[in-house]
């Protein structure tokens, strides 16, 4: 408080005291105390920003179903399986070949994706399910012996992942999104995953390849 303000307040209190006496001054001081106390409490209280509400499981399921329906329609895909949402931190998405085949997606991962990014994730896993990937893996393991080089198996997995990227990004384009959506989805998958992508190509190799794998 400046000297001028102090003098003004002092003059006011002096006039008030003269006009209303000691009882009036006590009342005034009590009012001022309550006023300053309320201001101090308000200033000390932490500011709370209203955080955006996370989508419920039902809302996420409805959104995923809508994205899937749009993709199947625009890319002319027939798929009789389903997408199952799970809660597994560090997991993103996977194709499960158990008949009739379905897709698993972590709920928090799905919530962090835009519609375009989610479309690519679904497209990629559909490519695994609807292509010959399961048959190729079965054939490989049928011929595999203890002496089989591990590098050969990893090489096959890399081929299948890039093939799913190629099909997935083109289905994503048909659905009205871009190769950049696909690249961003992959970046999110690699940055948020806790398990090692030992059977997948490096993230930078996959994201850079997307723009060459996509066709107008």
């Amino acid at each position: 408080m400046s000297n001028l303000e102090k003098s003004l307040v002092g003059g006011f209190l002096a006039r008030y005291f003269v006009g209303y006496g000691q009882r009036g001054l006590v009342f005034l001081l009590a009012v001022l105390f309550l006023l300053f106390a309320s201001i101090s409490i308000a200033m000390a209280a932490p500011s709370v920003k209203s955080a955006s509400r996370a989508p419920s499981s039902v809302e996420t399921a409805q959104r995923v179903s809508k994205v899937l329906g749009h993709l199947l329609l625009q890319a002319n895909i027939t798929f009789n399986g389903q997408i199952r949402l799970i809660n597994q931190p560090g997991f993103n998405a996977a194709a499960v070949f158990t008949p009739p085949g379905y897709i698993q997606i972590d709920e928090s991962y799905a919530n962090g994706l835009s519609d375009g990014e989610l479309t690519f994730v679904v497209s990629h896993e559909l490519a695994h399910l609807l292509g010959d990937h399961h048959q190729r893996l079965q054939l490989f393991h049928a011929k595999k012996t203890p002496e089989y080089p591990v590098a050969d198996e990893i090489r096959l997995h890399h081929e299948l992942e890039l093939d799913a990227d190629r099909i997935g990004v083109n289905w994503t384009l048909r659905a009205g999104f871009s190769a950049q959506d696909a690249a961003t989805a992959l970046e999110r998958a690699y940055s948020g995953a806790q398990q090692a992508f030992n059977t997948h190509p490096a993230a930078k190799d996959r994201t850079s390849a997307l723009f060459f794998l996509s066709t107008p």
Side-chain angles (χ1 to χ4, degrees):
M1 183 179 290
S2 65
N3 293 331
L4 177 61
E5 291 172 330
K6 289 180 181 178
S7 62
L8 290 175
V9 171
F12 172 76
L13 291 176
R15 289 194 299 273
Y16 191 93
F17 180 79
V18 172
Y20 294 93
Q22 185 176 3
R23 182 178 299 177
L25 180 60
V26 171
F27 175 77
L28 176 62
L29 291 174
V31 171
L32 290 174
F33 174 80
L34 292 175
L35 176 63
F36 285 116
S38 63
I39 293 175
S40 298
I41 293 174
M43 292 177 64
S47 60
V48 179
K49 295 182 179 180
S50 57
S52 57
R53 182 181 63 84
S56 67
S57 295
V58 173
E59 290 171 331
T60 302
Q62 290 174 340
R63 175 173 173 251
V64 171
S65 179
K66 181 179 179 181
V67 166
L68 174 62
H70 176 76
L71 171 64
L72 297 181
L73 179 64
Q74 297 300 318
N76 193 26
I77 304 170
T78 300
F79 175 60
N80 297 319
Q82 58 182 203
I83 296 179
R84 299 180 184 179
L85 292 175
I86 62 174
N87 288 295
Q88 185 176 331
F91 177 85
N92 43 74
V96 181
F97 293 108
T98 305
Y102 62 92
I103 297 171
Q104 281 186 332
I105 301 179
D106 176 64
E107 189 172 328
S108 60
Y109 175 62
N111 288 335
L113 299 175
S114 67
D115 285 354
E117 294 161 0
L118 183 58
T119 296
F120 171 74
V121 171
V122 173
S123 297
H124 175 93
E125 303 305 340
L126 278 176
H128 281 311
L129 288 175
L130 302 180
D132 62 348
H133 295 184
H134 186 43
Q135 291 80 359
R136 290 175 63 181
L137 285 171
Q138 284 183 317
L139 181 62
F140 176 87
H141 287 291
K143 295 180 178 180
K144 184 180 177 182
T145 65
E147 295 77 25
Y148 229 92
V150 176
D152 287 354
E153 183 172 1
I154 294 178
R155 187 179 300 111
L156 173 60
H157 280 284
H158 284 197
E159 290 177 3
L160 298 181
E161 290 304 320
L162 290 174
D163 189 45
D165 285 347
R166 176 185 61 82
I167 297 171
V169 70
N170 283 288
W171 282 347
T172 300
L173 293 176
R174 291 191 199 177
F177 300 103
S178 67
Q180 184 58 53
D181 290 313
T184 306
L186 285 178
E187 291 168 357
R188 294 184 189 281
Y190 277 80
S191 63
Q194 294 174 358
Q195 78 268 28
F197 276 81
N198 57 342
T199 58
H200 291 55
K204 60 181 180 61
D205 294 335
R206 293 179 68 185
T207 53
S208 59
L210 284 171
F211 298 93
F212 296 99
L213 294 171
S214 58
T215 56

Short mmCIF file of all heavy atoms in Angstrom, two decimals, residues 142-169:
data_model
loop_
_atom_site.label_atom_id
_atom_site.label_comp_id
_atom_site.label_asym_id
_atom_site.label_seq_id
_atom_site.Cartn_x
_atom_site.Cartn_y
_atom_site.Cartn_z
N ALA A 142 5.85 -74.81 -39.87
CA ALA A 142 5.78 -76.24 -40.19
C ALA A 142 7.13 -76.75 -40.70
O ALA A 142 7.49 -77.92 -40.48
CB ALA A 142 4.69 -76.48 -41.23
N LYS A 143 7.86 -75.90 -41.39
CA LYS A 143 9.15 -76.28 -41.95
C LYS A 143 10.32 -75.96 -41.01
O LYS A 143 11.44 -76.40 -41.25
CB LYS A 143 9.39 -75.55 -43.28
CG LYS A 143 8.42 -75.94 -44.38
CD LYS A 143 8.73 -75.17 -45.65
CE LYS A 143 7.81 -75.58 -46.79
NZ LYS A 143 8.11 -74.82 -48.03
N LYS A 144 10.02 -75.21 -39.96
CA LYS A 144 11.08 -74.74 -39.08
C LYS A 144 11.70 -75.88 -38.29
O LYS A 144 11.01 -76.77 -37.80
CB LYS A 144 10.52 -73.68 -38.11
CG LYS A 144 11.55 -73.05 -37.20
CD LYS A 144 10.89 -72.02 -36.30
CE LYS A 144 11.90 -71.42 -35.33
NZ LYS A 144 11.24 -70.45 -34.42
N THR A 145 13.00 -75.87 -38.16
CA THR A 145 13.75 -76.85 -37.36
C THR A 145 14.58 -76.09 -36.33
O THR A 145 14.75 -74.87 -36.44
CB THR A 145 14.69 -77.68 -38.27
OG1 THR A 145 15.67 -76.81 -38.83
CG2 THR A 145 13.90 -78.38 -39.37
N PRO A 146 15.09 -76.79 -35.32
CA PRO A 146 15.91 -76.10 -34.31
C PRO A 146 17.11 -75.37 -34.91
O PRO A 146 17.63 -74.42 -34.33
CB PRO A 146 16.36 -77.24 -33.40
CG PRO A 146 15.27 -78.26 -33.53
CD PRO A 146 14.82 -78.18 -34.95
N GLU A 147 17.56 -75.87 -36.09
CA GLU A 147 18.73 -75.24 -36.72
C GLU A 147 18.36 -74.04 -37.58
O GLU A 147 19.23 -73.38 -38.16
CB GLU A 147 19.47 -76.27 -37.59
CG GLU A 147 20.10 -77.43 -36.80
CD GLU A 147 19.08 -78.46 -36.37
OE1 GLU A 147 18.02 -78.55 -37.04
OE2 GLU A 147 19.32 -79.16 -35.37
N TYR A 148 17.05 -73.76 -37.69
CA TYR A 148 16.62 -72.67 -38.56
C TYR A 148 17.14 -71.34 -38.03
O TYR A 148 17.01 -71.05 -36.83
CB TYR A 148 15.08 -72.63 -38.62
CG TYR A 148 14.54 -72.56 -40.02
CD1 TYR A 148 14.22 -73.71 -40.73
CD2 TYR A 148 14.33 -71.33 -40.64
CE1 TYR A 148 13.70 -73.66 -42.01
CE2 TYR A 148 13.82 -71.26 -41.92
CZ TYR A 148 13.52 -72.42 -42.60
OH TYR A 148 13.03 -72.36 -43.87
N PRO A 149 17.72 -70.52 -38.87
CA PRO A 149 18.23 -69.22 -38.40
C PRO A 149 17.10 -68.33 -37.89
O PRO A 149 16.05 -68.20 -38.54
CB PRO A 149 18.87 -68.61 -39.65
CG PRO A 149 19.11 -69.75 -40.57
CD PRO A 149 18.01 -70.74 -40.28
N VAL A 150 17.30 -67.74 -36.73
CA VAL A 150 16.31 -66.82 -36.18
C VAL A 150 16.09 -65.64 -37.11
O VAL A 150 14.98 -65.10 -37.23
CB VAL A 150 16.75 -66.34 -34.78
CG1 VAL A 150 15.77 -65.31 -34.23
CG2 VAL A 150 16.89 -67.51 -33.83
N ALA A 151 17.15 -65.26 -37.80
CA ALA A 151 17.06 -64.11 -38.71
C ALA A 151 16.03 -64.36 -39.81
O ALA A 151 15.38 -63.40 -40.27
CB ALA A 151 18.42 -63.82 -39.33
N ASP A 152 15.86 -65.61 -40.23
CA ASP A 152 14.88 -65.91 -41.27
C ASP A 152 13.46 -65.65 -40.79
O ASP A 152 12.61 -65.13 -41.54
CB ASP A 152 15.01 -67.36 -41.73
CG ASP A 152 16.26 -67.60 -42.56
OD1 ASP A 152 16.95 -66.61 -42.87
OD2 ASP A 152 16.53 -68.76 -42.90
N GLU A 153 13.19 -66.00 -39.54
CA GLU A 153 11.85 -65.76 -38.99
C GLU A 153 11.59 -64.27 -38.82
O GLU A 153 10.50 -63.79 -39.13
CB GLU A 153 11.70 -66.48 -37.65
CG GLU A 153 10.31 -66.34 -37.06
CD GLU A 153 10.10 -67.21 -35.82
OE1 GLU A 153 11.05 -67.91 -35.42
OE2 GLU A 153 8.98 -67.18 -35.29
N ILE A 154 12.59 -63.55 -38.33
CA ILE A 154 12.43 -62.10 -38.18
C ILE A 154 12.22 -61.44 -39.53
O ILE A 154 11.40 -60.53 -39.68
CB ILE A 154 13.66 -61.51 -37.46
CG1 ILE A 154 13.74 -62.03 -36.02
CG2 ILE A 154 13.62 -59.98 -37.48
CD1 ILE A 154 14.94 -61.54 -35.25
N ARG A 155 12.96 -61.94 -40.54
CA ARG A 155 12.81 -61.39 -41.89
C ARG A 155 11.39 -61.58 -42.41
O ARG A 155 10.81 -60.68 -43.03
CB ARG A 155 13.82 -62.04 -42.84
CG ARG A 155 13.87 -61.40 -44.23
CD ARG A 155 14.90 -62.07 -45.11
NE ARG A 155 16.24 -61.98 -44.53
CZ ARG A 155 16.91 -63.02 -44.04
NH1 ARG A 155 16.38 -64.23 -44.06
NH2 ARG A 155 18.12 -62.85 -43.53
N LEU A 156 10.80 -62.75 -42.14
CA LEU A 156 9.43 -63.01 -42.57
C LEU A 156 8.46 -62.06 -41.88
O LEU A 156 7.57 -61.49 -42.52
CB LEU A 156 9.04 -64.46 -42.28
CG LEU A 156 7.56 -64.82 -42.53
CD1 LEU A 156 7.19 -64.58 -43.99
CD2 LEU A 156 7.28 -66.26 -42.12
N HIS A 157 8.63 -61.88 -40.58
CA HIS A 157 7.75 -60.95 -39.84
C HIS A 157 7.87 -59.53 -40.38
O HIS A 157 6.87 -58.82 -40.52
CB HIS A 157 8.09 -60.98 -38.35
CG HIS A 157 7.50 -62.14 -37.61
ND1 HIS A 157 6.17 -62.19 -37.25
CD2 HIS A 157 8.06 -63.29 -37.15
CE1 HIS A 157 5.93 -63.31 -36.60
NE2 HIS A 157 7.06 -64.01 -36.53
N HIS A 158 9.08 -59.12 -40.71
CA HIS A 158 9.28 -57.80 -41.29
C HIS A 158 8.54 -57.67 -42.62
O HIS A 158 7.91 -56.63 -42.90
CB HIS A 158 10.77 -57.53 -41.48
CG HIS A 158 11.48 -57.19 -40.21
ND1 HIS A 158 12.72 -56.60 -40.19
CD2 HIS A 158 11.14 -57.37 -38.91
CE1 HIS A 158 13.10 -56.41 -38.93
NE2 HIS A 158 12.16 -56.89 -38.14
N GLU A 159 8.62 -58.69 -43.44
CA GLU A 159 7.92 -58.68 -44.73
C GLU A 159 6.41 -58.55 -44.53
O GLU A 159 5.74 -57.79 -45.25
CB GLU A 159 8.23 -59.95 -45.51
CG GLU A 159 9.66 -60.05 -46.02
CD GLU A 159 9.94 -61.37 -46.71
OE1 GLU A 159 8.98 -62.18 -46.84
OE2 GLU A 159 11.09 -61.61 -47.11
N LEU A 160 5.88 -59.30 -43.56
CA LEU A 160 4.43 -59.26 -43.32
C LEU A 160 4.00 -57.90 -42.77
O LEU A 160 2.92 -57.40 -43.13
CB LEU A 160 4.04 -60.38 -42.34
CG LEU A 160 4.32 -61.81 -42.82
CD1 LEU A 160 3.85 -62.82 -41.77
CD2 LEU A 160 3.64 -62.09 -44.17
N GLU A 161 4.82 -57.30 -41.92
CA GLU A 161 4.47 -55.99 -41.38
C GLU A 161 4.46 -54.93 -42.47
O GLU A 161 3.56 -54.09 -42.54
CB GLU A 161 5.44 -55.60 -40.26
CG GLU A 161 5.30 -56.41 -38.99
CD GLU A 161 3.90 -56.37 -38.42
OE1 GLU A 161 3.28 -55.28 -38.43
OE2 GLU A 161 3.42 -57.41 -37.96
N LEU A 162 5.46 -54.95 -43.34
CA LEU A 162 5.51 -53.98 -44.43
C LEU A 162 4.38 -54.21 -45.42
O LEU A 162 3.84 -53.25 -45.99
CB LEU A 162 6.87 -54.06 -45.13
CG LEU A 162 8.06 -53.54 -44.32
CD1 LEU A 162 9.37 -53.80 -45.06
CD2 LEU A 162 7.90 -52.05 -44.01
N ASP A 163 4.00 -55.47 -45.61
CA ASP A 163 2.88 -55.77 -46.49
C ASP A 163 1.57 -55.24 -45.90
O ASP A 163 0.74 -54.66 -46.61
CB ASP A 163 2.77 -57.27 -46.72
CG ASP A 163 1.76 -57.62 -47.81
OD1 ASP A 163 1.78 -56.96 -48.88
OD2 ASP A 163 0.95 -58.56 -47.62
N ALA A 164 1.41 -55.41 -44.59
CA ALA A 164 0.21 -54.88 -43.92
C ALA A 164 0.21 -53.36 -43.95
O ALA A 164 -0.85 -52.73 -44.08
CB ALA A 164 0.15 -55.38 -42.48
N ASP A 165 1.39 -52.74 -43.85
CA ASP A 165 1.48 -51.28 -43.97
C ASP A 165 1.06 -50.84 -45.37
O ASP A 165 0.33 -49.85 -45.53
CB ASP A 165 2.91 -50.81 -43.70
CG ASP A 165 3.28 -50.85 -42.23
OD1 ASP A 165 2.38 -50.99 -41.39
OD2 ASP A 165 4.49 -50.73 -41.92
N ARG A 166 1.53 -51.57 -46.38
CA ARG A 166 1.21 -51.21 -47.77
C ARG A 166 -0.30 -51.28 -48.01
O ARG A 166 -0.90 -50.34 -48.54
CB ARG A 166 1.93 -52.17 -48.73
CG ARG A 166 1.59 -51.94 -50.21
CD ARG A 166 2.24 -52.98 -51.09
NE ARG A 166 1.80 -54.32 -50.77
CZ ARG A 166 0.64 -54.87 -51.23
NH1 ARG A 166 -0.16 -54.14 -52.00
NH2 ARG A 166 0.32 -56.10 -50.91
N ILE A 167 -0.91 -52.38 -47.60
CA ILE A 167 -2.36 -52.53 -47.79
C ILE A 167 -3.10 -51.53 -46.92
O ILE A 167 -4.05 -50.86 -47.36
CB ILE A 167 -2.79 -53.97 -47.46
CG1 ILE A 167 -2.13 -54.96 -48.42
CG2 ILE A 167 -4.32 -54.10 -47.52
CD1 ILE A 167 -2.32 -56.42 -48.03
N GLY A 168 -2.65 -51.40 -45.68
CA GLY A 168 -3.35 -50.54 -44.73
C GLY A 168 -3.34 -49.07 -45.12
O GLY A 168 -4.35 -48.40 -45.01
N VAL A 169 -2.21 -48.58 -45.61
CA VAL A 169 -2.15 -47.16 -45.97
C VAL A 169 -3.01 -46.87 -47.19
O VAL A 169 -3.63 -45.80 -47.30
CB VAL A 169 -0.69 -46.71 -46.19
CG1 VAL A 169 -0.08 -47.30 -47.45
CG2 VAL A 169 -0.61 -45.18 -46.23
#
